[in-house]
Amino acid sequence: MGYNRGAVIKQKREWIVKPKVFVTRVFPDAGLKLVQEACNADIWPDVMPPPYAVLKERSRGVDGLLCMITDRVDAAVMDAAGPQLKVISQMAVGVDNIDLNAARVRGIPVGHTPGVLTEATADLAFALLLAAARRLLEGVEYIRAGRWRTWEPKALLGADLNGATLGIIGLGRIGKAVARRAAGFNLSLLAYNPGLAPEEAAAVNARLVDFDILLRESDFISIHTPLTPQTRGLINSAALAKMKRTAILVNTARGPVVDSRALYDALKNGVIAAAALDVTDPEPLPPDSPLLTLPNLLVVPHIGSASVWTRDQMALMAARNLIAGVRGEPLPHAVPKP
Ligand code: GLV
């Protein structure tokens, strides 16, 4: 192959001129390609996220950071990156891992991926609700343990959705998508969402109620609130004690909204019937977590948005937010400033 001086100079110039970004994980090609075309991208290659110290080190001198929910992006990371940092783009809708105040005072816009994961997450919430109500995990384990000897009139009896009441905590985009699905199952809907207009709830056939009423009257409770200082530990032992003994709790939002220890006690002692979680505290759950010994707890590994289409869309949105940010343009999907 001949030496093409022009091409080498062009490549070098692009390398120099292209904004520098650190991408904390290999993510779907749809977005990764855009980032690689527009930026001089340092892409963390491992399955595991970069350790915090490495995140700080690799962020040094970058114009943009494309991060995941597993990265703690705090003031120290922003300062380690330096004053040229123009954007933090997260490939997720929830941004509780990012210090939004620190970003605001430094004038760094934060991007996220709302909307595109709404339906996939609502699907998973419903999958968990149905699985817990009809005891699918126990059924699978029953067969694997060689206990399926005949059709049994009284084995593995679960809860009916038809005619039951679903309480939705957090009636935002995903909560409303869950409410729409509930109509097909003939569920009555209660919702708890301080500040929401009753008409907005009525539009998805939900009745806004106080937190205690939702806890006491719901057969199923599904959590769809962001993690904030107000929602951390919202489902504690006092809240669990107010639920029906037959209640089933579903969490596809953020693990720390539920107090893990209190949930363990409630499931163990029959305070509520069952729970199904896509998110846990801590996350991941250690393999020796007592929660994993409970037959009435179903856990999946934070896969609410894990469908092919959804992750491609999230990747594209995260890439577009990053690229707009490093160019000094408004982000297509900026997180509102705190
Ligand atoms: C996933 O948990 C997200 O916030 O997108």
Side-chain angles (χ1 to χ4, degrees), residues 69 92-94 117 254 302 314:
I69 56 170
V93 64
L117 47 77
R254 283 292 183 268
H302 204 147
M314 290 167 71

Side-chain angles (χ1 to χ4, degrees), residues 14-236:
E14 277 183 359
W15 185 257
I16 294 162
V17 172
K18 275 182 179 180
K20 272 179 69 177
V21 298
F22 180 45
V23 178
T24 65
R25 218 78 71 77
V26 178
F27 69 105
D29 275 355
L32 197 60
K33 283 200 177 121
L34 290 187
V35 171
Q36 285 172 311
E37 276 161 25
C39 307
N40 165 8
D42 175 15
I43 300 162
W44 181 251
D46 289 359
V47 172
M48 295 303 287
Y52 179 69
V54 176
L55 173 64
K56 281 200 329 207
E57 185 49 42
R58 297 282 272 263
S59 299
R60 210 170 293 281
V62 299
D63 300 291
L65 180 62
L66 195 152
C67 54
M68 313 283 147
I69 56 170
T70 40
D71 304 308
R72 173 155 61 94
V73 182
D74 57 12
V77 169
M78 297 173 203
D79 290 341
Q84 78 299 325
L85 182 63
K86 294 183 193 66
V87 59
I88 298 168
S89 170
Q90 166 129 306
M91 194 183 125
V93 64
V95 286
D96 46 278
N97 57 309
I98 301 173
D99 185 337
L100 296 179
N101 278 315
R104 180 181 48 79
V105 299
R106 287 163 181 75
I108 306 166
V110 176
H112 68 153
T113 64
V116 291
L117 47 77
T118 299
E119 303 302 330
T121 308
D123 283 349
L124 188 80
F126 242 86
L128 291 176
L129 175 55
L130 283 164
R134 299 304 302 274
R135 304 176 60 181
L136 297 195
L137 179 66
E138 288 165 89
V140 170
E141 280 166 2
Y142 183 82
I143 295 174
R144 292 202 167 142
R147 291 172 58 205
W148 187 21
R149 293 179 304 143
T150 181
W151 183 87
E152 290 183 63
K154 288 176 67 177
L156 290 169
L157 305 188
D160 284 294
L161 270 67
N162 183 36
T165 297
L166 169 64
I168 298 178
I169 297 179
L171 198 61
R173 276 181 293 257
I174 300 172
K176 285 179 186 150
V178 167
R180 286 196 299 274
R181 281 157 179 74
F185 289 85
N186 196 28
L187 284 155
S188 296
L189 291 176
L190 300 178
Y192 170 67
N193 192 324
L196 192 78
E199 310 81 69
E200 250 197 79
V204 288
N205 295 316
R207 185 162 61 89
L208 277 184
V209 289
D210 288 347
F211 188 49
D212 277 11
I213 294 179
L214 181 137
L215 297 176
R216 288 187 207 286
E217 294 187 6
S218 300
D219 298 296
F220 309 111
I221 295 179
S222 192
I223 303 173
H224 300 287
T225 176
L227 178 63
T228 64
Q230 291 73 37
T231 64
R232 183 176 289 276
L234 185 68
I235 304 297
N236 55 17

